[in-house]
């Protein structure tokens, strides 16, 4: 944790349960005063910590690896699909995000055939309960980037200011699309809320086209105790992931096994109007926990309560547009499991043009 002295290697087996055979180390970092993988003297401000690898494929069968944590940032390398080892001559690969010891780690890339984008999820901040850990995403049209956020910022330029104290969060917090951070929905006894959620993976279920994000989280007033959570996410009209506010549970009609998934997941326009608890995740990185406020989505298309604005909903696509206090958000309405009320609830998740997420849970 206090040094990027790390190495990555490969072990192989024809059986997932093993036994595995050691194929050797292929990447090293932290060689102080020595030549690094790219031929220059190792410098932790610009060279990666060789940890947290994730391997992903492109639509043409190409194999890639994203990796790195803090130190010089996040890098992508192309691998030989026949061996799993990197093609020669890449050094550390392509730098795509972070540097100068910016607290960015746990990168995970998933390709979306629906949009043609590669989405790179990552975690900003520190994973402890006081670390402000949060999940962000950027996207690219090529597996090795460049990856951009909603503002069009090349994430390779997002790094700490070396003239500021170590782990300068202020320089990186405006960047990346922040999907989820510290929050708590009121009146839920600290259950519907997370503290330092992050280090996620992502998954697309090929037969249904559903997307899921899997991450670990602490919880309000529970210290460092942490658990794993799974949430469904959708792609909004602007081509960005929006994470559902409630954890995922499969929708099954126990009284009618013939009901299709589309029928079970449909949300009627008449169901959307009502009272909601709203959380705005902001773009900041801190230990503060965002609380919820109460709003109403009125049947005439206006928003009232603690915020004012307007909203619209497309029943066939479940796309939603909502304007809250002058800021426009594009999102998706879905039905997710509320473990406090022990039922499926209508929810929405939406993003502003600068990549700020709002979550709403219907409360009436």
């Amino acid at each position: 944790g206090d040094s990027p002295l790390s190495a990555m290697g490969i072990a192989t087996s024809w059986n997932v349960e093993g036994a595995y055979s050691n194929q050797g180390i292929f990447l090293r970092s932290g060689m102080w005063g020595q030549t690094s993988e790219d031929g220059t003297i190792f410098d932790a401000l610009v060279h990666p910590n060789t940890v947290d690898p994730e391997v992903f494929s492109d639509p043409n069968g190409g194999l890639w690896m994203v990796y790195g944590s803090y130190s010089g940032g996040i890098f992508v390398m192309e691998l030989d699909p026949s061996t799993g080892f990197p093609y020669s001559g890449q050094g550390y690969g392509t730098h795509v995000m972070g540097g100068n010891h910016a607290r960015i780690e746990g990168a995970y890339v998933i390709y979306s055939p629906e949009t043609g984008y590669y989405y790179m999820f990552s975690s900003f901040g520190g994973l402890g309960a006081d670390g402000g850990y949060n999940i962000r995403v950027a996207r690219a049209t090529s597996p090795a980037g460049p990856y951009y956020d909603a503002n069009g910022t090349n994430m390779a330029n997002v790094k700490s200011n070396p003239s500021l104290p170590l782990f300068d969060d202020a320089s990186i917090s405006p960047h990346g699309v922040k999907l989820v951070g510290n929050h708590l929905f009121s009146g839920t006894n600290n259950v519907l809320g997370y503290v330092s959620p992050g280090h996620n993976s992502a998954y697309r279920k090929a037969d249904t086209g559903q997307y899921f994000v899997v991450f670990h989280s602490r919880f309000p007033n529970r210290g460092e105790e942490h658990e794993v959570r799974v949430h469904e996410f959708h792609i909004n009209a602007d081509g960005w992931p929006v994470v559902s506010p409630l954890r995922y549970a499969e929708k099954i009609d126990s009284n009618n096994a013939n009901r299709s998934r589309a029928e079970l997941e449909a949300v009627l326009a008449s169901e959307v109007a009502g009272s909601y608890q709203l959380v705005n995740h902001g773009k900041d990185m801190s230990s503060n926990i965002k609380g919820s406020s109460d709003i109403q989505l009125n049947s005439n298309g206006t928003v009232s309560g603690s915020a004012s604005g307007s909203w619209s909903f497309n029943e066939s696509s479940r796309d939603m547009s909502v304007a809250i206090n002058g800021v426009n958000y594009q999102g998706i309405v879905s039905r997710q499991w509320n473990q406090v009320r022990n039922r499926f609830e209508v929810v929405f998740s939406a993003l502003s043009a600068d990549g700020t997420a709002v979550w709403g849970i219907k409360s009436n």
Side-chain angles (χ1 to χ4, degrees):
D2 60 356
S3 168
L5 183 61
S6 305
M8 286 195 288
I10 293 178
T12 58
S13 174
W14 290 108
N15 186 339
V16 69
E17 296 179 350
Y20 282 83
S21 299
N22 177 24
Q23 304 299 329
I25 290 173
F26 65 90
L27 208 59
R28 293 178 173 85
S29 62
M31 303 79 69
W32 302 113
Q34 300 177 37
T35 302
S36 72
E37 301 284 353
D38 69 359
T40 63
I41 299 300
F42 184 83
D43 181 351
L45 292 175
V46 298
H47 291 134
N49 187 4
T50 56
V51 297
D52 294 347
E54 184 252 333
V55 174
F56 63 99
S57 299
D58 64 36
N60 300 315
L63 194 63
W64 303 82
M65 181 182 73
V66 62
Y67 72 97
S69 174
Y70 289 39
S71 300
I74 306 301
F75 286 68
V76 175
M77 301 185 75
E78 187 172 7
L79 310 180
D80 182 345
S82 65
T83 66
F85 283 90
Y87 287 117
S88 62
Q90 296 183 81
Y92 283 114
T94 302
H95 171 253
V96 292
M97 183 166 59
N100 297 332
H101 297 300
R103 296 203 296 176
I104 301 174
E105 64 179 5
Y108 199 101
V109 175
I110 184 172
Y111 175 75
S112 168
E114 287 82 11
T115 67
Y117 283 116
Y118 297 85
Y119 294 98
M120 180 174 63
F121 296 83
S122 60
S123 296
F124 281 38
L127 61 79
D130 62 350
Y133 222 37
N134 61 95
I135 299 173
R136 305 201 182 203
V137 71
R139 69 188 185 189
T141 55
S142 170
Y147 285 84
Y148 297 96
D149 67 8
N151 286 319
T153 300
N154 184 339
M155 298 301 288
N157 298 323
V158 175
K159 57 187 70 177
S160 292
N161 184 338
S163 67
L164 296 178
L166 192 65
F167 304 147
D168 154 43
D169 290 339
S171 295
I172 64 174
S173 62
H175 307 294
V177 173
K178 184 180 176 184
L179 298 177
V180 53
N182 294 351
H183 71 280
L184 177 63
F185 287 95
S186 64
T188 62
N189 196 29
N190 298 327
V191 174
L192 298 185
Y194 294 141
V195 170
S196 291
H199 220 294
N200 70 282
S201 55
Y203 172 67
R204 180 181 180 273
K205 196 168 184 286
D207 61 338
T208 64
Q210 291 172 285
Y211 290 92
F212 300 92
V213 58
V214 184
F215 57 92
H216 65 62
S217 183
R218 274 79 173 160
F219 303 90
N221 299 319
R222 285 170 57 181
E224 297 301 329
E225 174 191 355
H226 60 281
E227 298 174 2
V228 174
R229 289 290 182 266
V230 179
H231 284 234
E232 190 172 11
F233 71 87
H234 304 85
I235 307 297
N236 73 4
D238 294 327
W240 288 104
V242 289
V243 176
S244 294
L246 295 172
R247 60 195 297 190
Y248 180 75
E250 187 176 6
K251 302 169 187 68
I252 298 173
D253 186 344
S254 57
N255 297 315
N256 183 359
N258 293 320
R259 289 189 68 190
S260 67
R261 187 176 66 86
E263 290 176 310
L264 290 166
E265 295 190 344
V267 178
L268 302 177
S270 59
E271 297 178 274
V272 180
S275 299
Y276 286 79
Q277 287 186 295
L278 178 77
V279 164
N280 185 320
H281 287 280
K283 294 293 286 287
D284 57 315
M285 295 167 58
S286 75
S287 60
N288 294 332
I289 298 176
K290 307 284 188 183
S292 63
S293 59
D294 296 321
I295 65 168
Q296 285 77 45
L297 301 185
N298 302 306
S299 57
N300 64 359
T302 62
V303 176
S304 59
S306 65
S308 61
S310 61
W311 67 278
S312 62
F313 173 65
N314 184 318
E315 189 173 290
S316 61
S317 65
R318 291 193 279 124
D319 286 335
M320 178 191 197
S321 294
V322 59
I324 300 173
N325 293 337
V327 179
N328 295 314
Y329 299 84
Q330 296 295 324
I332 298 290
V333 175
S334 65
R335 201 186 304 276
Q336 305 291 340
W337 181 252
N338 188 329
Q339 66 191 88
V340 172
R341 299 174 69 168
N342 200 36
R343 68 185 191 187
F344 285 98
E345 212 82 82
V346 172
V347 302
F348 69 83
S349 178
L351 286 172
S352 67
D354 75 342
T356 299
V358 291
W359 285 0
I361 299 177
K362 197 171 185 183
S363 54
N364 65 326

